[in-house]
Amino acid sequence: MQTFETTLIVTQNDLDELNHVNNIRYVEWVQDVAKAHWLKNTSPKIINDYHWVMLSHYIEYKSPALLNDVITLKTYVINSEGVTTTRMVEIYNDSDKLLAKSETTWCLINSQTKRPARITPEIMDLFS
């Protein structure tokens, strides 16, 4: 399984009234890192022909992230079958402490028909 990583720094806009990263921001980060992984690995033709929609999302919060923390987002696909794929995202601080872990099911959509599309071997190979 291929892992994709990116980093970011927590800003004031990421915080809630408790001065730690808002739960909604974690969901945005999950979506952003999944999209970045897709765009990095995929050809312009595939990007034009397909897109992903989130079907289900589970996130487990372990520890808060705070202002100016350097965050590493790690993502990888653990399963692809039919029209869906399951993607993990792990979120760490700069001390390599796990802050949150996410498991999300995505559905591949044909951009022309707007209907679910079977994941091709070519697309599967991009993330294995």
Side-chain angles (χ1 to χ4, degrees), residues 49-128:
D49 292 345
Y50 301 100
H51 63 274
W52 295 95
V53 295
M54 189 183 285
L55 295 181
S56 65
H57 180 73
Y58 172 77
I59 191 164
E60 184 178 357
Y61 301 98
K62 302 282 196 174
S63 189
L66 306 172
L67 184 64
N68 297 321
D69 280 355
V70 176
I71 303 297
T72 300
L73 304 165
K74 296 180 183 182
T75 188
Y76 49 93
V77 173
I78 60 170
N79 183 43
S80 292
E81 187 175 313
V83 299
T84 63
T85 192
T86 304
R87 176 181 287 277
M88 300 298 296
V89 175
E90 298 168 356
I91 302 172
Y92 295 89
N93 67 11
D94 56 352
S95 301
D96 211 28
K97 181 177 184 179
L98 181 64
L99 303 178
K101 186 175 182 179
S102 166
E103 182 175 316
T104 306
T105 302
W106 297 86
C107 180
L108 186 66
I109 301 292
N110 180 295
S111 296
Q112 300 300 317
T113 66
K114 309 294 189 242
R115 299 188 49 83
R118 182 164 290 284
I119 299 168
T120 66
E122 179 185 19
I123 291 174
M124 278 191 203
D125 289 347
L126 296 172
F127 302 101
S128 56

